[in-house]
Amino acid sequence: MSGPGFAVIDFETTGLFPTGNDRVIEVAIVHVDELGRIEGHWDTLVNPGRDLGRQDIHRIRAADVMNAPTFDQIAPRLVELLAGRVVVAHNASFDSRFLIAELQRAGHWTNANLVTLCTMQLARDFLPGTGRSLADCCAAYDIELDGAHRASVDAAATARLLGAYVESANDPAFWSEDIGAAVAYKWPGMVAQEIAWYPRPDSAHPMTAASFLARMTHHLPDVAGPAEYIDYLALLDRCLLDRHLSAHEVEALVQLADELGISRHSCEALHLEYFAGLTRIAWEDGILTTDEMADLVDVGNLLELSLEVVSAALDAPTPLAPESLAVVDPAQAFALRPGDLVVLTGDMTRSRDVWEGELVARGFTPWRAVTKKVKLVVAADPDSLSGKARKARDYGIPIVGEVALEKLTRGDSASG
């Protein structure tokens, strides 16, 4: 696996400052031989243990990294893939600084004098007058770059760009000094760990009831009664507060159903009952507004209810539920009241100062720390891994996104 040759690397990160709080959240490595030919590629998401920063740029969700390895877990394998090779990146200064910072944070001493080459800097020799971005350099060689800001895509494109440079130079001596220095470079010794790398999924499907019902067996004996049903429905209502099911919420529902002894069949019945209660509330005034219809459709889709059930709810009020199931009134479950403490976390589309001003203007209290007195936590991503989000889950405080905050603070309860 070691050199000689090149190891093209690309990181996706939470931000721009490796020596501050920013962390690596995705890494890709592509091996290129001395003649510019691609030999292999590897990539993985990385759990940074904090929020993910500008998710609109890298498009990685907190749910994607929940089960990913941490950097210290992938470090031995990563160093193995880099050893004996010239480290190459497009803007190598950025990637090498993150590499060194993460290795040092994980307790591994690293000589800062890495042997690196930068395809952005090399463009001055091979592509004079071309823009410095990876897209510009790739376009000059007609190299495809579809899905930028995905580590595997950027690393693969950079590897092909390096291959084009090697071919253009047509002189092995141009690279020999760096290749020789890379073979001699001493990386820190590490004990290999049997940690599977965790590539980013090709597509991100929204969570629905299918995400957790499939994990429950039809044959699990149901030992629950009305009290357990109410507990489950109360959690379901909290999870659907923002009409979004986060991965953390799915885990919480699975765990609670297991702890309470609620079978898959009963969970499905409880979902129907929850929807029936929501439908009755929507029809209380005898009119179903466009917003109420949209809300019922959203909840029906999240609960994986049949088209027939959802269509019937839009046509007429749902009959009263069977007495065998306990009912939680969705309209009474959660509401923000004047003075309630609200905590914000993560990089949102609106600045924190703007949101805090909005909260104050509407009679709520922005709060910086998560305590048991906080009523609501608002995150850029409801699956946020920030310390505030983790503490909120410990305390059972709802976590919602910006859209839900807008509805709740305007008194437009997400419960219909």
Side-chain angles (χ1 to χ4, degrees):
M1 202 63 69
S2 60
F6 308 92
V8 178
I9 191 168
D10 186 81
F11 288 130
E12 294 300 321
T13 66
T14 63
L16 304 175
F17 304 104
T19 56
N21 293 322
D22 286 319
R23 303 295 301 274
V24 166
I25 54 177
E26 188 178 29
V27 59
I29 305 288
V30 179
H31 279 179
V32 178
D33 70 11
E34 296 169 284
L35 299 178
R37 298 172 299 196
I38 292 176
E39 299 179 298
H41 53 85
W42 302 263
D43 65 284
T44 184
L45 290 167
V46 180
N47 187 329
R50 54 149 289 177
D51 71 271
L52 298 183
R54 291 287 304 278
Q55 290 174 266
D56 58 311
I57 295 176
H58 52 65
R59 299 185 299 281
I60 297 173
R61 308 171 307 156
D64 296 329
V65 302
M66 271 180 59
N67 298 313
T70 58
F71 192 92
D72 63 315
Q73 290 175 320
I74 68 163
R77 177 62 170 153
L78 178 60
V79 166
E80 180 185 343
L81 291 171
L82 297 176
R85 294 177 177 268
V86 182
V87 177
V88 181
H90 199 80
N91 191 358
S93 173
F94 175 86
D95 292 279
S96 61
R97 285 187 292 115
F98 263 99
L99 174 62
I100 292 170
E102 288 283 15
L103 286 173
Q104 291 178 343
R105 190 179 287 113
H108 305 294
W109 178 86
T110 308
N111 185 338
N113 297 317
L114 288 175
V115 183
T116 65
L117 283 174
C118 178
T119 52
M120 181 177 70
Q121 298 291 347
L122 286 170
R124 292 183 297 179
D125 297 321
F126 292 99
L127 296 170
T130 299
R132 64 177 179 272
S133 74
L134 180 59
D136 285 336
C137 293
C138 286
Y141 285 107
D142 200 23
I143 294 170
E144 182 179 351
L145 181 60
D146 183 16
H149 295 296
R150 183 181 177 117
S152 60
V153 171
D154 288 355
T158 303
R160 290 194 291 273
L161 179 62
L162 173 64
Y165 288 168
V166 172
E167 183 180 359
S168 296
N170 195 28
D171 180 9
F174 186 89
W175 316 96
S176 59
E177 182 178 348
D178 291 307
I179 289 174
V183 171
Y185 183 83
K186 299 299 182 184
W187 288 90
M190 299 184 194
V191 178
Q193 298 188 46
E194 294 297 324
I195 299 295
W197 281 27
Y198 193 87
R200 192 192 305 202
D202 291 330
S203 61
H205 298 290
M207 291 286 183
T208 68
S211 306
F212 59 95
L213 286 174
R215 293 160 59 182
M216 302 177 186
T217 173
H218 276 294
H219 303 294
L220 177 71
D222 194 338
V223 299
E228 288 79 13
Y229 292 154
I230 288 175
D231 286 343
Y232 180 85
L233 285 168
L235 179 60
L236 180 66
D237 190 61
R238 177 164 288 191
C239 291
L240 294 180
L241 180 63
D242 57 356
R243 299 307 185 245
H244 168 82
L245 273 176
S246 71
H248 282 100
E249 289 166 341
V250 162
E251 288 297 320
L253 286 163
V254 171
Q255 182 177 342
L256 183 64
D258 182 61
E259 290 174 356
L260 297 179
I262 301 177
S263 70
R264 175 173 174 175
H265 174 76
S266 290
C267 281
E268 291 171 340
L270 287 168
H271 293 175
L272 282 168
E273 177 48 34
Y274 179 87
F275 186 72
L278 193 68
T279 302
R280 286 195 298 274
I281 297 299
W283 277 101
E284 269 187 341
D285 58 0
I287 300 172
L288 200 63
T289 67
T290 301
D291 287 343
E292 288 169 335
M293 282 192 278
D295 190 53
L296 289 174
V297 170
D298 286 344
V299 174
N301 288 336
L302 284 169
L303 296 181
E304 290 281 305
L305 302 182
S306 68
L307 179 61
E308 291 75 16
V309 169
V310 176
S311 297
L314 301 182
D315 291 336
T318 304
L320 292 175
E323 292 182 0
S324 59
L325 293 178
V327 178
V328 169
D329 184 349
Q332 305 300 321
F334 184 92
L336 280 178
R337 294 177 175 82
D340 279 346
L341 307 184
V342 179
V343 171
L344 308 175
T345 183
D347 295 320
M348 301 184 184
T349 56
R350 300 168 71 181
S351 73
R352 188 158 302 186
D353 288 342
V354 170
W355 261 124
E356 289 180 349
E358 289 272 358
L359 287 169
V360 170
R362 298 177 190 182
F364 307 108
T365 305
W367 209 246
R368 292 304 175 99
V370 176
T371 69
K372 291 183 179 179
K373 294 182 179 180
V374 168
K375 186 67 177 292
L376 186 72
V377 170
V378 185
D381 182 339
D383 264 317
S384 173
L385 301 174
S386 72
K388 290 178 179 178
R390 291 199 300 270
K391 186 61 68 176
R393 293 186 190 102
D394 289 342
Y395 292 152
I397 299 169
I399 303 174
V400 302
E402 285 180 90
V403 173
L405 176 62
E406 182 69 33
K407 291 181 178 180
L408 290 167
T409 55
R410 289 189 182 277
D412 179 16
S413 169
S415 293

